[in-house]
Amino acid sequence: MSEFAKMESASLIHEHTQQVPDEQGVYQLLVGGQVVYVGKTDADSGLRGRLRKHAWTIQHRQNLKPSDVQFKAARVFVFTAMDLEKLLIRHYAETAGEVWWNFSGFGSNDPGRNRDTTELKAAGFDAVYPIDLDHPVEIKTDGGVPVARVLDALRAELPFTLRAEGEAGKVRKPHPDLVNSIVPTFETKPSTTRQVFDAVLAVLPSGWQATALPGRIIMYRENREYSAGVVIGRS
């Protein structure tokens, strides 16, 4: 902990994370000088890889710019039986305030369809930093392609989950509507996430709905309101 206090922090951007050794160790994320997250890595998932993943996750968010987030990282050659991560969380909670990103859902994986109706925690990461539908995205495909291809191209650009209804009984295959509906040439490039969905929904058969939920976007054949979501559009 004293080693962290002596360190200079660096912005959580690619140029800086690339200089971190991909070894096991501990790290912290800071916003405005406040420690908001403490983590550790092992030999299988090194510091560089973990920090790059976090740098990707914080993009395309409202109320948060990647340059707002700083990090400090230290190699630890041997972990003892002591849980160093919990020790650091306790230390900063007692001395500098709650490291709230650790308990906010920050960096969580897609919870799946059964959790889409879950209420949004007011103090959670996704509530404080909602996904930004108006952030530019560079779709690496021209027009005249199926919706399924457009969604794949968009997924490659988004630092959060985009989930769409699949073929009945074969959820890993695109729904036939997504394969058979063709998106014409995009009028603007780069477009925003919202503009991409406008183009997609314009060519899909009636009944499709795109919804922005906490930390993810879903698109299903439905017409419903989600207490923790915002409808992007309907076909």
Side-chain angles (χ1 to χ4, degrees), residues 19-91:
Q19 300 175 30
V20 177
D22 208 21
E23 305 287 346
Q24 69 180 19
V26 293
Y27 64 94
Q28 57 183 220
L29 304 181
L30 307 91
V31 176
Q34 172 76 40
V35 178
V36 294
Y37 188 87
V38 172
K40 72 175 182 180
T41 67
D42 54 28
D44 295 327
S45 178
L47 287 167
R48 185 192 308 148
R50 185 67 60 82
L51 289 170
R52 288 179 65 182
K53 182 178 179 180
H54 289 325
W56 176 243
T57 300
I58 63 174
Q59 298 184 67
H60 296 218
R61 294 280 176 167
Q62 299 178 49
N63 310 321
L64 184 69
K65 301 188 298 293
S67 59
D68 293 335
V69 184
Q70 309 283 309
F71 75 91
K72 296 181 180 181
R75 294 176 66 180
V76 177
F77 291 97
V78 178
F79 282 120
T80 66
M82 180 189 309
D83 191 327
L84 189 55
E85 183 177 26
K86 288 184 178 178
L87 181 65
L88 286 168
I89 290 173
R90 187 182 306 119
H91 168 76

Side-chain angles (χ1 to χ4, degrees), residues 10 24 36 48 76 90 100 119 148 155 200 219 231:
Q24 69 180 19
V36 294
R48 185 192 308 148
V76 177
R90 187 182 306 119
W100 69 275
E119 292 289 339
R155 285 188 184 96
V200 162
M219 193 170 74
V231 175

Side-chain angles (χ1 to χ4, degrees), residues 1 6 16 32 39 42 61 67 73 88 90 126 133-134 149 156 172 204 207 221-223 233:
M1 288 173 281
K6 299 173 185 177
H16 295 157
D42 54 28
R61 294 280 176 167
S67 59
L88 286 168
R90 187 182 306 119
D126 293 321
L133 300 176
D134 298 307
R149 265 189 64 186
R172 293 188 179 276
L204 282 172
R221 292 180 300 163
E222 61 184 2
N223 188 337

Side-chain angles (χ1 to χ4, degrees), residues 194-211:
R194 191 187 305 276
Q195 288 171 332
V196 173
F197 274 100
D198 286 344
V200 162
L201 292 167
V203 300
L204 282 172
S206 177
W208 283 84
Q209 174 181 307
T211 307

Side-chain angles (χ1 to χ4, degrees), residues 92-108:
Y92 287 110
E94 292 173 351
T95 61
E98 185 182 6
V99 283
W100 69 275
W101 283 19
N102 280 89
F103 312 101
S104 69
F106 170 67
S108 298

